[in-house]
Amino acid sequence: NAGVTQTPKFRILKIGQSMTLQCTQDMNHNYMYWYRQDPGMGLKLIYYSVGAGITDKGEVPNGYNVSRSTTEDFPLRLELAAPSQTSVYFCASSYSSGGLSYEQYFGPGTRLTVT
Amino acid sequence: RKEVEQDPGPFNVPEGATVAFNCTYSNSASQSFFWYRQDCRKEPKLLMSVYSSGNEDGRFTAQLNRASQYISLLIRDSKLSDSATYLCVVSSSGGYQKVTFGTGTKLQVIP
């Protein structure tokens, strides 16, 4: 099992550019998440998905979009990049059943700089 | 009140010391509890789940106090390699099991 994989590892964007951060998991987890983590700060939830075709906003969704067409993939789209989106982005997945959620597994992160 | 609160530290302890972290949560309906470890510039990784009866994994002991709504992590015989940020994670039950991460407690083990 590769677990959760993310691409790219690093990216520098100019203000106003767009990009998609890729996330794939091979654990057949139903839940997937996108977080951002600014230097020295905690994780902030951007979007999450409870299954294919279902997504919802987290704490800081503005400036981002997601889709979940398959169980495995959960890409994050940045439109019109701004310096405030400079951060490390983590994708995670977990299994949930019977009203309980289990531990999240994280990808290695994408370090994004917007200049 | 924050949903999950942790003392940010840093906790600077000598090698071999015992150190304990607490984490308080506000939602009494919370059902699942975890401690994660995050090294600098790396992704968080599960350290251990926290069960109602308490659980131990080597030098690490986690406990849950539902009445007072806190979980704790005890690290015995601290190693240099234990230096990291420790994240408390709380999950609710129900239709969407909302998962809330604390902002973390930084531990620095000193030679």
Side-chain angles (χ1 to χ4, degrees), chain A residues 1-59:
Chain A
N1 279 354
V4 180
T5 56
Q6 292 183 238
T7 57
K9 286 189 168 54
F10 304 92
R11 183 74 186 266
I12 298 174
L13 278 183
K14 291 190 179 350
I15 294 170
Q17 287 186 320
S18 300
M19 75 165 294
T20 299
L21 281 67
Q22 302 291 346
C23 175
T24 300
Q25 53 95 6
D26 63 359
M27 297 173 281
N28 201 33
H29 285 167
N30 47 353
Y31 279 41
M32 294 188 76
Y33 312 81
W34 273 107
Y35 296 91
R36 61 176 286 173
Q37 187 173 35
D38 299 332
M41 306 296 284
L43 295 166
K44 292 186 178 179
L45 182 65
I46 304 171
Y47 271 96
Y48 66 95
S49 168
V50 301
I54 307 170
T55 63
D56 209 344
K57 296 177 181 179
E59 185 184 354

Side-chain angles (χ1 to χ4, degrees), chain A residues 34-95:
Chain A
W34 273 107
Y35 296 91
R36 61 176 286 173
Q37 187 173 35
D38 299 332
M41 306 296 284
L43 295 166
K44 292 186 178 179
L45 182 65
I46 304 171
Y47 271 96
Y48 66 95
S49 168
V50 301
I54 307 170
T55 63
D56 209 344
K57 296 177 181 179
E59 185 184 354
V60 289
N62 290 346
Y64 308 94
N65 276 301
V66 294
S67 59
R68 184 105 181 264
S69 56
T70 65
T71 299
E72 296 79 19
D73 301 304
F74 191 40
L76 177 72
R77 177 86 178 157
L78 277 72
E79 305 282 1
L80 299 175
S84 61
Q85 293 178 304
T86 294
S87 191
V88 179
Y89 291 83
F90 291 108
C91 178
S93 71
S94 68
Y95 177 67

Side-chain angles (χ1 to χ4, degrees), chain A residues 92-104:
Chain A
S93 71
S94 68
Y95 177 67
S96 176
S97 177
L100 288 177
S101 62
Y102 298 86
E103 64 268 24
Q104 292 188 15

